[in-house]
Structure formats: structure tokens, C-alpha cells
Amino acid sequence: MAGFPDDKEKAVIAGGELNNDSTTSITALVFEDHQHDIKLRTMSWQKAAWLLCGDQVCLAIMAQTWSLSVLGWGPGIVTMIVAGVLFWITSMTMWKFIMKYPQIKDICDFGYYAFGKSKIAYEFTGFMLLANNIMLIGFHVLTGEKILNTLSDHSQCTIVFNVIILIMGIVMSLPRTLHHVSYMSMISGKSANAQSNRVGY
């Protein structure tokens, strides 16, 4: 894995000022990032919002109606509200923590500082992120296969649709940054809406 956060912090201090002021520190980190050939900080907050919409909302909405059919309207709505509140609390807590430690660049750095600069926590957080992404990719492939099956009225074997979605995912994820992904998320949102209407959701 990459160097631990303390090493990154020292590198930034060597090239610019890093102090307790969040705005100044973040500006120094962005400046340091822009010195590299590959610039990782390329997304505006608007594009990040679209990315999260495509990643979370468009996938989740496929399962939402099924969940309501199993739980019923009452328990289903209560579950969604409770989950929303917990997500909001988690987001606000992470935001405040990252503002306190603006040198945090990724979720692994967050785990490192949250557990008292533990290198074990850093590596474990990286492993859990990898596991989450693998399962998320599987969810994307499964959802894409179901959409193609529904829209084509099961014209091909399910494995064929799985392979098609897998190849699409590999090709579209070749660029290193997520600069272009927000545009794909817009298409994803429209596709999810069309598929939901198609099956009568």
C-alpha cells in the first residue's frame, strides 16, 4: 500500500505549510496534489453528488420496492428513516473528523487517525474497502444482468448478460480518476428510472 498518513503529511510540510487551519491545510494538500503527473483531485462537489447518486441511489432503488413488499409499508418506511438518520450522523461525524485532520486523503487515512494512528487499522480499513468494492462490483453486475433480462424479455442466457455487464464495467473503469463517472451516473439514473417504469414499479 501507499505510505502511511504521517509520511504524506511530512511530504506536504516539506513542499508547503500545513497547520491547524483547515482551509490553509486543504489548500496546501490540493497544491501538493497538483504537482503530480496524475491529478487525483479532479471532481467538483456537483460531480461527486452525481457519482454518489449513481453508485448508491440508482442501485438501491432497484431493491427498495422488493424490500417494501417483504417488510410492508409501515416497517419499511420506519427502516428507511432510521437508516437515513444513521447515515446522516455517520456523514456528519466523518466530516467533522476530517475537518480536524485535513491531511486525510482517503478512508484508509481516516481509519489510521480514528484508531490512534494505528497502522493495523490503516491496513484493515484498506482491506475492508477492497472487500466492499468487490461486493459492490458484484451488485452492479447482478443488477445490470437483471435489467437486460427484463428489457430483452430473457432473450439470452443470464451468463451472457453477466459477461456483457462485466466487460462494460472493465472498459468504463479504465481511466484512473472518476472525472468522467458523474456523466455516466446521470445516464445510470435515467436508465434506472426507465427500467423501474418498464417493470411496473
Side-chain angles (χ1 to χ4, degrees):
M1 284 193 175
F4 293 105
D6 284 343
D7 299 329
K8 302 173 188 175
E9 185 176 339
K10 291 174 184 175
V12 175
I13 292 175
E17 188 68 25
L18 182 62
N19 53 38
N20 293 327
D21 179 23
S22 296
T23 303
T24 305
S25 299
I26 291 172
T27 302
L29 288 167
V30 172
F31 176 80
E32 185 264 343
D33 179 71
H34 286 174
Q35 305 308 305
H36 302 298
D37 292 334
I38 299 176
K39 297 172 178 57
L40 300 178
R41 297 173 183 265
T42 60
M43 293 187 70
S44 64
W45 70 265
Q46 295 93 337
K47 290 181 178 179
W50 273 111
L51 172 62
L52 291 174
C53 175
D55 184 36
Q56 305 293 333
V57 178
C58 294
L59 279 178
I61 202 170
M62 298 295 179
Q64 186 179 41
T65 49
W66 177 82
S67 299
L68 289 173
S69 70
V70 173
L71 296 173
W73 279 100
I77 291 175
V78 170
T79 301
M80 285 189 288
I81 292 174
V82 171
V85 170
L86 291 175
F87 295 155
W88 181 81
I89 292 172
T90 302
S91 299
M92 293 302 296
T93 303
M94 289 185 70
W95 173 73
K96 290 177 180 178
F97 192 86
I98 291 171
M99 288 297 100
K100 183 177 180 181
Y101 298 98
Q103 65 269 30
I104 293 176
K105 288 188 174 182
D106 50 49
I107 193 66
C108 297
D109 290 357
F110 182 87
Y112 177 81
Y113 283 102
F115 289 92
K117 297 188 176 182
S118 167
K119 294 184 178 181
I120 295 176
Y122 182 89
E123 298 290 354
F124 181 73
T125 305
F127 169 77
M128 294 304 293
L129 176 63
L130 177 63
N132 173 76
N133 288 341
I134 290 173
M135 289 186 282
L136 190 59
I137 291 168
F139 192 24
H140 275 280
V141 172
L142 176 64
T143 304
E145 166 262 309
K146 289 188 174 296
I147 290 173
L148 292 181
N149 255 326
T150 302
L151 295 178
S152 67
D153 199 20
H154 305 277
S155 63
Q156 297 290 331
C157 172
T158 298
I159 299 299
V160 174
F161 289 133
N162 278 329
V163 172
I164 292 172
I165 296 299
L166 179 64
I167 294 173
M168 287 175 60
I170 292 172
V171 171
M172 291 182 177
S173 62
L174 287 177
R176 179 157 181 165
T177 66
L178 300 177
H179 183 70
H180 68 292
V181 178
S182 57
Y183 300 111
M184 291 193 292
S185 295
M186 296 177 192
I187 299 172
S188 175
K190 292 178 181 178
S191 300
N193 182 58
Q195 194 271 346
S196 296
N197 293 333
R198 170 71 172 76
V199 296
Y201 287 168

